[in-house]
Amino acid sequence: MAFDAVTTGSVIGYPYLWRREALAGETAGRKERPVAVAVRLVRPAGDQLILLAITTRQPSGGAGVEIPWPEKQRAGLNVDKRLWIVVSECNFDVVGLSFHLSPSAPLGRFSGSYMKVLREALAQAGGLSLSVSRLE
């Protein structure tokens, strides 16, 4: 599978590095987790991805968007658990230059209407704090 299937709205497995872990000096995520591809920007040197963590822990301070049941099903996520997308931080990675991205098929994808909800939540959160730039 090529990386072409990974587009804005895709859900993929990724070793997400939380901001608190990066600040503590860690350089790789502790485990692979599902992440949402918030944006895929086409660039000549390698497409850039902005990745948002999906978690079972409700983010504090309104920094997350709960994923409704139909979207969990579309995205290939566990429909029996409450899940949130964290909108206060992200990981940034580059297709073709990353040791952390694999050319696997996405787990699923979110609908365009849900991505609109996610973009609105990102705007209300005041933008993203890039927790790590993965350009090793």
Side-chain angles (χ1 to χ4, degrees):
M1 169 70 56
F3 286 111
D4 295 342
V6 178
T7 60
T8 298
S10 293
V11 175
I12 62 173
Y14 185 81
Y16 189 87
L17 180 62
W18 293 100
R19 186 173 192 274
R20 66 181 178 277
E21 294 169 350
L23 291 172
E26 295 182 40
T27 58
R30 295 178 183 175
K31 68 177 186 177
E32 186 168 296
R33 69 173 51 252
V35 298
V37 178
V39 178
R40 179 174 179 159
L41 299 168
V42 177
R43 298 289 185 254
D47 291 1
Q48 299 172 357
L49 301 179
I50 295 177
L51 305 166
L52 302 175
I54 296 174
T55 182
T56 58
R57 293 186 184 160
Q58 183 174 7
S60 61
V65 177
E66 188 165 7
I67 305 171
W69 183 87
E71 294 298 333
K72 288 188 277 191
Q73 188 175 36
R74 281 185 193 101
L77 300 168
N78 186 333
V79 295
D80 296 325
K81 290 185 178 182
R82 291 184 75 186
L83 298 171
W84 288 265
I85 296 177
V86 177
V87 295
S88 57
E89 66 175 79
C90 70
N91 280 194
F92 171 82
D93 217 330
V94 180
V95 175
L97 299 178
S98 174
F99 296 109
H100 305 287
L101 290 169
S102 65
S104 304
L107 302 170
R109 66 182 348 88
F110 292 120
S111 68
S113 60
Y114 186 69
M115 289 304 294
K116 182 179 178 184
V117 168
L118 190 56
R119 283 191 300 272
E120 290 170 2
L122 287 166
Q124 287 179 359
L128 293 169
S129 169
L130 290 176
S131 58
V132 64
S133 178
R134 299 245 170 119
L135 296 174
E136 294 118 342

